[in-house]
PDB file of all heavy atoms in Angstrom:
ATOM      1  N   ALA A 174       0.153  67.555-100.413  1.00  0.00           N
ATOM      2  CA  ALA A 174      -0.507  68.216 -99.285  1.00  0.00           C
ATOM      3  C   ALA A 174      -0.148  67.526 -97.970  1.00  0.00           C
ATOM      4  O   ALA A 174       0.168  68.188 -96.969  1.00  0.00           O
ATOM      5  CB  ALA A 174      -2.019  68.221 -99.486  1.00  0.00           C
ATOM      6  N   ALA A 178       2.138  69.232 -94.921  1.00  0.00           N
ATOM      7  CA  ALA A 178       1.605  69.346 -93.564  1.00  0.00           C
ATOM      8  C   ALA A 178       2.454  68.560 -92.581  1.00  0.00           C
ATOM      9  O   ALA A 178       2.765  69.043 -91.474  1.00  0.00           O
ATOM     10  CB  ALA A 178       0.156  68.855 -93.527  1.00  0.00           C
ATOM     11  N   LEU A 181       5.678  70.442 -91.749  1.00  0.00           N
ATOM     12  CA  LEU A 181       5.450  71.543 -90.805  1.00  0.00           C
ATOM     13  C   LEU A 181       5.250  71.024 -89.386  1.00  0.00           C
ATOM     14  O   LEU A 181       5.788  71.584 -88.419  1.00  0.00           O
ATOM     15  CB  LEU A 181       4.220  72.349 -91.241  1.00  0.00           C
ATOM     16  CG  LEU A 181       4.477  73.484 -92.223  1.00  0.00           C
ATOM     17  CD1 LEU A 181       3.172  73.960 -92.836  1.00  0.00           C
ATOM     18  CD2 LEU A 181       5.178  74.631 -91.523  1.00  0.00           C
ATOM     19  N   ILE A 218       4.386  77.138 -95.008  1.00  0.00           N
ATOM     20  CA  ILE A 218       2.938  77.261 -94.842  1.00  0.00           C
ATOM     21  C   ILE A 218       2.293  77.688 -96.168  1.00  0.00           C
ATOM     22  O   ILE A 218       1.264  77.143 -96.581  1.00  0.00           O
ATOM     23  CB  ILE A 218       2.604  78.276 -93.732  1.00  0.00           C
ATOM     24  CG1 ILE A 218       2.979  77.701 -92.358  1.00  0.00           C
ATOM     25  CG2 ILE A 218       1.118  78.646 -93.748  1.00  0.00           C
ATOM     26  CD1 ILE A 218       2.886  78.700 -91.223  1.00  0.00           C
ATOM     27  N   MET A 221       2.290  74.755 -98.487  1.00  0.00           N
ATOM     28  CA  MET A 221       1.265  73.795 -98.077  1.00  0.00           C
ATOM     29  C   MET A 221      -0.115  74.232 -98.554  1.00  0.00           C
ATOM     30  O   MET A 221      -0.871  73.434 -99.123  1.00  0.00           O
ATOM     31  CB  MET A 221       1.267  73.653 -96.554  1.00  0.00           C
ATOM     32  CG  MET A 221       0.168  72.741 -96.004  1.00  0.00           C
ATOM     33  SD  MET A 221       0.016  72.833 -94.195  1.00  0.00           S
ATOM     34  CE  MET A 221      -0.719  74.486 -94.013  1.00  0.00           C
ATOM     35  N   ARG A 222      -0.443  75.485 -98.341  1.00  0.00           N
ATOM     36  CA  ARG A 222      -1.754  75.980 -98.770  1.00  0.00           C
ATOM     37  C   ARG A 222      -1.905  75.869-100.286  1.00  0.00           C
ATOM     38  O   ARG A 222      -2.961  75.475-100.796  1.00  0.00           O
ATOM     39  CB  ARG A 222      -1.933  77.434 -98.325  1.00  0.00           C
ATOM     40  CG  ARG A 222      -2.180  77.611 -96.820  1.00  0.00           C
ATOM     41  CD  ARG A 222      -2.479  79.064 -96.513  1.00  0.00           C
ATOM     42  NE  ARG A 222      -2.806  79.304 -95.121  1.00  0.00           N
ATOM     43  CZ  ARG A 222      -4.015  79.115 -94.594  1.00  0.00           C
ATOM     44  NH1 ARG A 222      -5.003  78.681 -95.361  1.00  0.00           N
ATOM     45  NH2 ARG A 222      -4.242  79.361 -93.319  1.00  0.00           N
ATOM     46  N   SER A 223      -0.850  76.216-101.026  1.00  0.00           N
ATOM     47  CA  SER A 223      -0.903  76.144-102.486  1.00  0.00           C
ATOM     48  C   SER A 223      -1.094  74.701-102.952  1.00  0.00           C
ATOM     49  O   SER A 223      -1.902  74.426-103.850  1.00  0.00           O
ATOM     50  CB  SER A 223       0.394  76.710-103.075  1.00  0.00           C
ATOM     51  OG  SER A 223       0.419  76.551-104.483  1.00  0.00           O
ATOM     52  N   MET A 225      -2.393  72.252-101.231  1.00  0.00           N
ATOM     53  CA  MET A 225      -3.728  71.779-100.852  1.00  0.00           C
ATOM     54  C   MET A 225      -4.774  72.259-101.853  1.00  0.00           C
ATOM     55  O   MET A 225      -5.659  71.497-102.265  1.00  0.00           O
ATOM     56  CB  MET A 225      -4.077  72.249 -99.440  1.00  0.00           C
ATOM     57  CG  MET A 225      -3.352  71.494 -98.340  1.00  0.00           C
ATOM     58  SD  MET A 225      -3.771  72.094 -96.691  1.00  0.00           S
ATOM     59  CE  MET A 225      -2.880  70.917 -95.657  1.00  0.00           C
ATOM     60  N   ARG A 226      -4.670  73.514-102.262  1.00  0.00           N
ATOM     61  CA  ARG A 226      -5.593  74.026-103.290  1.00  0.00           C
ATOM     62  C   ARG A 226      -5.393  73.274-104.602  1.00  0.00           C
ATOM     63  O   ARG A 226      -6.358  72.915-105.286  1.00  0.00           O
ATOM     64  CB  ARG A 226      -5.364  75.525-103.504  1.00  0.00           C
ATOM     65  CG  ARG A 226      -5.859  76.417-102.378  1.00  0.00           C
ATOM     66  CD  ARG A 226      -5.877  77.880-102.812  1.00  0.00           C
ATOM     67  NE  ARG A 226      -4.548  78.359-103.150  1.00  0.00           N
ATOM     68  CZ  ARG A 226      -3.727  78.956-102.296  1.00  0.00           C
ATOM     69  NH1 ARG A 226      -4.091  79.150-101.045  1.00  0.00           N
ATOM     70  NH2 ARG A 226      -2.532  79.372-102.686  1.00  0.00           N
ATOM     71  N   LEU A 245      -9.355  64.870 -99.677  1.00  0.00           N
ATOM     72  CA  LEU A 245      -8.686  66.152 -99.895  1.00  0.00           C
ATOM     73  C   LEU A 245      -9.342  67.259 -99.091  1.00  0.00           C
ATOM     74  O   LEU A 245      -8.676  68.171 -98.595  1.00  0.00           O
ATOM     75  CB  LEU A 245      -8.691  66.502-101.379  1.00  0.00           C
ATOM     76  CG  LEU A 245      -7.414  66.234-102.177  1.00  0.00           C
ATOM     77  CD1 LEU A 245      -6.275  67.078-101.643  1.00  0.00           C
ATOM     78  CD2 LEU A 245      -7.034  64.770-102.117  1.00  0.00           C
ATOM     79  N   GLN A 246     -10.665  67.171 -98.950  1.00  0.00           N
ATOM     80  CA  GLN A 246     -11.377  68.175 -98.170  1.00  0.00           C
ATOM     81  C   GLN A 246     -10.936  68.127 -96.707  1.00  0.00           C
ATOM     82  O   GLN A 246     -10.733  69.174 -96.074  1.00  0.00           O
ATOM     83  CB  GLN A 246     -12.893  67.914 -98.266  1.00  0.00           C
ATOM     84  CG  GLN A 246     -13.755  69.095 -97.878  1.00  0.00           C
ATOM     85  CD  GLN A 246     -13.636  70.268 -98.844  1.00  0.00           C
ATOM     86  OE1 GLN A 246     -13.521  70.075-100.045  1.00  0.00           O
ATOM     87  NE2 GLN A 246     -13.629  71.480 -98.318  1.00  0.00           N
ATOM     88  N   ARG A 247     -10.775  66.896 -96.180  1.00  0.00           N
ATOM     89  CA  ARG A 247     -10.333  66.754 -94.782  1.00  0.00           C
ATOM     90  C   ARG A 247      -8.901  67.267 -94.606  1.00  0.00           C
ATOM     91  O   ARG A 247      -8.600  67.942 -93.618  1.00  0.00           O
ATOM     92  CB  ARG A 247     -10.407  65.287 -94.350  1.00  0.00           C
ATOM     93  CG  ARG A 247     -11.813  64.754 -94.146  1.00  0.00           C
ATOM     94  CD  ARG A 247     -11.792  63.494 -93.298  1.00  0.00           C
ATOM     95  NE  ARG A 247     -10.944  62.457 -93.891  1.00  0.00           N
ATOM     96  CZ  ARG A 247     -11.356  61.557 -94.758  1.00  0.00           C
ATOM     97  NH1 ARG A 247     -12.628  61.567 -95.168  1.00  0.00           N
ATOM     98  NH2 ARG A 247     -10.531  60.643 -95.234  1.00  0.00           N
ATOM     99  N   ILE A 248      -8.041  66.941 -95.561  1.00  0.00           N
ATOM    100  CA  ILE A 248      -6.654  67.400 -95.467  1.00  0.00           C
ATOM    101  C   ILE A 248      -6.596  68.921 -95.553  1.00  0.00           C
ATOM    102  O   ILE A 248      -5.903  69.581 -94.781  1.00  0.00           O
ATOM    103  CB  ILE A 248      -5.806  66.762 -96.589  1.00  0.00           C
ATOM    104  CG1 ILE A 248      -5.694  65.248 -96.376  1.00  0.00           C
ATOM    105  CG2 ILE A 248      -4.413  67.380 -96.631  1.00  0.00           C
ATOM    106  CD1 ILE A 248      -5.042  64.514 -97.530  1.00  0.00           C
ATOM    107  N   SER A 249      -7.349  69.500 -96.494  1.00  0.00           N
ATOM    108  CA  SER A 249      -7.338  70.956 -96.674  1.00  0.00           C
ATOM    109  C   SER A 249      -7.897  71.681 -95.457  1.00  0.00           C
ATOM    110  O   SER A 249      -7.510  72.825 -95.175  1.00  0.00           O
ATOM    111  CB  SER A 249      -8.147  71.336 -97.920  1.00  0.00           C
ATOM    112  OG  SER A 249      -7.577  70.765 -99.077  1.00  0.00           O
ATOM    113  N   ALA A 250      -8.802  71.026 -94.725  1.00  0.00           N
ATOM    114  CA  ALA A 250      -9.390  71.641 -93.532  1.00  0.00           C
ATOM    115  C   ALA A 250      -8.362  71.843 -92.425  1.00  0.00           C
ATOM    116  O   ALA A 250      -8.605  72.602 -91.478  1.00  0.00           O
ATOM    117  CB  ALA A 250     -10.541  70.781 -93.015  1.00  0.00           C
ATOM    118  N   THR A 251      -7.188  71.191 -92.538  1.00  0.00           N
ATOM    119  CA  THR A 251      -6.157  71.363 -91.511  1.00  0.00           C
ATOM    120  C   THR A 251      -5.278  72.581 -91.752  1.00  0.00           C
ATOM    121  O   THR A 251      -4.466  72.939 -90.899  1.00  0.00           O
ATOM    122  CB  THR A 251      -5.248  70.114 -91.434  1.00  0.00           C
ATOM    123  OG1 THR A 251      -4.500  69.993 -92.663  1.00  0.00           O
ATOM    124  CG2 THR A 251      -6.058  68.850 -91.205  1.00  0.00           C
ATOM    125  N   ALA A 252      -5.415  73.231 -92.905  1.00  0.00           N
ATOM    126  CA  ALA A 252      -4.517  74.339 -93.251  1.00  0.00           C
ATOM    127  C   ALA A 252      -4.593  75.475 -92.236  1.00  0.00           C
ATOM    128  O   ALA A 252      -3.562  75.927 -91.714  1.00  0.00           O
ATOM    129  CB  ALA A 252      -4.828  74.852 -94.655  1.00  0.00           C
ATOM    130  N   ASP A 253      -5.801  75.952 -91.959  1.00  0.00           N
ATOM    131  CA  ASP A 253      -5.950  77.063 -91.011  1.00  0.00           C
ATOM    132  C   ASP A 253      -5.498  76.682 -89.600  1.00  0.00           C
ATOM    133  O   ASP A 253      -4.761  77.448 -88.956  1.00  0.00           O
ATOM    134  CB  ASP A 253      -7.393  77.564 -90.986  1.00  0.00           C
ATOM    135  CG  ASP A 253      -7.736  78.387 -92.224  1.00  0.00           C
ATOM    136  OD1 ASP A 253      -6.812  78.867 -92.899  1.00  0.00           O
ATOM    137  OD2 ASP A 253      -8.939  78.543 -92.519  1.00  0.00           O
ATOM    138  N   PRO A 254      -5.919  75.518 -89.058  1.00  0.00           N
ATOM    139  CA  PRO A 254      -5.443  75.145 -87.717  1.00  0.00           C
ATOM    140  C   PRO A 254      -3.925  75.002 -87.633  1.00  0.00           C
ATOM    141  O   PRO A 254      -3.322  75.395 -86.624  1.00  0.00           O
ATOM    142  CB  PRO A 254      -6.146  73.813 -87.449  1.00  0.00           C
ATOM    143  CG  PRO A 254      -7.355  73.837 -88.298  1.00  0.00           C
ATOM    144  CD  PRO A 254      -6.970  74.599 -89.529  1.00  0.00           C
ATOM    145  N   ILE A 255      -3.285  74.453 -88.673  1.00  0.00           N
ATOM    146  CA  ILE A 255      -1.821  74.336 -88.652  1.00  0.00           C
ATOM    147  C   ILE A 255      -1.184  75.720 -88.651  1.00  0.00           C
ATOM    148  O   ILE A 255      -0.261  76.009 -87.876  1.00  0.00           O
ATOM    149  CB  ILE A 255      -1.327  73.507 -89.857  1.00  0.00           C
ATOM    150  CG1 ILE A 255      -1.716  72.036 -89.686  1.00  0.00           C
ATOM    151  CG2 ILE A 255       0.189  73.626 -89.996  1.00  0.00           C
ATOM    152  CD1 ILE A 255      -1.379  71.167 -90.886  1.00  0.00           C
ATOM    153  N   ASP A 256      -1.680  76.586 -89.515  1.00  0.00           N
ATOM    154  CA  ASP A 256      -1.171  77.964 -89.574  1.00  0.00           C
ATOM    155  C   ASP A 256      -1.346  78.655 -88.216  1.00  0.00           C
ATOM    156  O   ASP A 256      -0.413  79.283 -87.687  1.00  0.00           O
ATOM    157  CB  ASP A 256      -1.918  78.723 -90.662  1.00  0.00           C
ATOM    158  CG  ASP A 256      -1.258  80.052 -91.012  1.00  0.00           C
ATOM    159  OD1 ASP A 256      -0.348  80.489 -90.290  1.00  0.00           O
ATOM    160  OD2 ASP A 256      -1.663  80.660 -92.023  1.00  0.00           O
ATOM    161  N   ASN A 257      -2.530  78.529 -87.624  1.00  0.00           N
ATOM    162  CA  ASN A 257      -2.794  79.163 -86.336  1.00  0.00           C
ATOM    163  C   ASN A 257      -1.943  78.563 -85.220  1.00  0.00           C
ATOM    164  O   ASN A 257      -1.499  79.279 -84.312  1.00  0.00           O
ATOM    165  CB  ASN A 257      -4.277  79.027 -85.974  1.00  0.00           C
ATOM    166  CG  ASN A 257      -5.163  79.844 -86.898  1.00  0.00           C
ATOM    167  OD1 ASN A 257      -4.728  80.823 -87.494  1.00  0.00           O
ATOM    168  ND2 ASN A 257      -6.419  79.434 -87.039  1.00  0.00           N
ATOM    169  N   ALA A 258      -1.715  77.245 -85.281  1.00  0.00           N
ATOM    170  CA  ALA A 258      -0.884  76.598 -84.271  1.00  0.00           C
ATOM    171  C   ALA A 258       0.539  77.137 -84.324  1.00  0.00           C
ATOM    172  O   ALA A 258       1.162  77.395 -83.273  1.00  0.00           O
ATOM    173  CB  ALA A 258      -0.885  75.082 -84.485  1.00  0.00           C
ATOM    174  N   VAL A 259       1.062  77.319 -85.531  1.00  0.00           N
ATOM    175  CA  VAL A 259       2.420  77.868 -85.675  1.00  0.00           C
ATOM    176  C   VAL A 259       2.470  79.291 -85.116  1.00  0.00           C
ATOM    177  O   VAL A 259       3.411  79.663 -84.403  1.00  0.00           O
ATOM    178  CB  VAL A 259       2.853  77.842 -87.149  1.00  0.00           C
ATOM    179  CG1 VAL A 259       4.191  78.554 -87.324  1.00  0.00           C
ATOM    180  CG2 VAL A 259       2.972  76.403 -87.650  1.00  0.00           C
ATOM    181  N   ARG A 260       1.451  80.086 -85.419  1.00  0.00           N
ATOM    182  CA  ARG A 260       1.424  81.471 -84.924  1.00  0.00           C
ATOM    183  C   ARG A 260       1.352  81.508 -83.393  1.00  0.00           C
ATOM    184  O   ARG A 260       2.040  82.314 -82.745  1.00  0.00           O
ATOM    185  CB  ARG A 260       0.232  82.220 -85.529  1.00  0.00           C
ATOM    186  CG  ARG A 260       0.324  82.417 -87.034  1.00  0.00           C
ATOM    187  CD  ARG A 260      -0.952  83.027 -87.601  1.00  0.00           C
ATOM    188  NE  ARG A 260      -0.947  83.005 -89.051  1.00  0.00           N
ATOM    189  CZ  ARG A 260      -0.405  83.961 -89.812  1.00  0.00           C
ATOM    190  NH1 ARG A 260       0.172  85.006 -89.239  1.00  0.00           N
ATOM    191  NH2 ARG A 260      -0.445  83.867 -91.125  1.00  0.00           N
ATOM    192  N   MET A 301      -0.917  62.497 -90.299  1.00  0.00           N
ATOM    193  CA  MET A 301      -1.007  63.154 -91.598  1.00  0.00           C
ATOM    194  C   MET A 301      -0.438  62.283 -92.714  1.00  0.00           C
ATOM    195  O   MET A 301      -0.953  62.276 -93.838  1.00  0.00           O
ATOM    196  CB  MET A 301      -0.273  64.500 -91.552  1.00  0.00           C
ATOM    197  CG  MET A 301      -0.585  65.415 -92.707  1.00  0.00           C
ATOM    198  SD  MET A 301      -2.326  65.904 -92.842  1.00  0.00           S
ATOM    199  CE  MET A 301      -2.492  66.917 -91.361  1.00  0.00           C
ATOM    200  N   ASP A 350      -6.014  74.643 -81.379  1.00  0.00           N
ATOM    201  CA  ASP A 350      -5.621  74.520 -82.789  1.00  0.00           C
ATOM    202  C   ASP A 350      -5.232  73.086 -83.115  1.00  0.00           C
ATOM    203  O   ASP A 350      -5.589  72.547 -84.174  1.00  0.00           O
ATOM    204  CB  ASP A 350      -4.449  75.457 -83.096  1.00  0.00           C
ATOM    205  CG  ASP A 350      -4.801  76.921 -82.941  1.00  0.00           C
ATOM    206  OD1 ASP A 350      -5.969  77.277 -83.198  1.00  0.00           O
ATOM    207  OD2 ASP A 350      -3.922  77.712 -82.549  1.00  0.00           O
ATOM    208  N   MET A 353      -8.130  70.826 -83.428  1.00  0.00           N
ATOM    209  CA  MET A 353      -8.803  71.042 -84.708  1.00  0.00           C
ATOM    210  C   MET A 353      -8.056  70.353 -85.852  1.00  0.00           C
ATOM    211  O   MET A 353      -8.663  69.868 -86.806  1.00  0.00           O
ATOM    212  CB  MET A 353      -8.944  72.544 -84.979  1.00  0.00           C
ATOM    213  CG  MET A 353      -9.923  73.240 -84.035  1.00  0.00           C
ATOM    214  SD  MET A 353     -10.035  75.024 -84.336  1.00  0.00           S
ATOM    215  CE  MET A 353     -10.814  75.048 -85.954  1.00  0.00           C
ATOM    216  N   ILE A 354      -6.723  70.290 -85.761  1.00  0.00           N
ATOM    217  CA  ILE A 354      -5.957  69.538 -86.761  1.00  0.00           C
ATOM    218  C   ILE A 354      -6.365  68.068 -86.734  1.00  0.00           C
ATOM    219  O   ILE A 354      -6.418  67.397 -87.762  1.00  0.00           O
ATOM    220  CB  ILE A 354      -4.440  69.676 -86.502  1.00  0.00           C
ATOM    221  CG1 ILE A 354      -3.989  71.126 -86.657  1.00  0.00           C
ATOM    222  CG2 ILE A 354      -3.644  68.787 -87.477  1.00  0.00           C
ATOM    223  CD1 ILE A 354      -2.555  71.376 -86.223  1.00  0.00           C
TER     224      ILE A 354
END
Side-chain angles (χ1 to χ4, degrees):
L181 272 166
I218 289 171
M221 176 190 72
R222 287 186 176 278
S223 175
M225 285 179 175
R226 287 193 298 268
L245 260 297
Q246 198 67 37
R247 288 199 303 271
I248 294 172
S249 299
T251 66
D253 285 341
I255 290 175
D256 193 349
N257 292 336
V259 174
R260 294 174 190 273
M301 195 61 67
D350 296 328
M353 291 178 68
I354 296 172

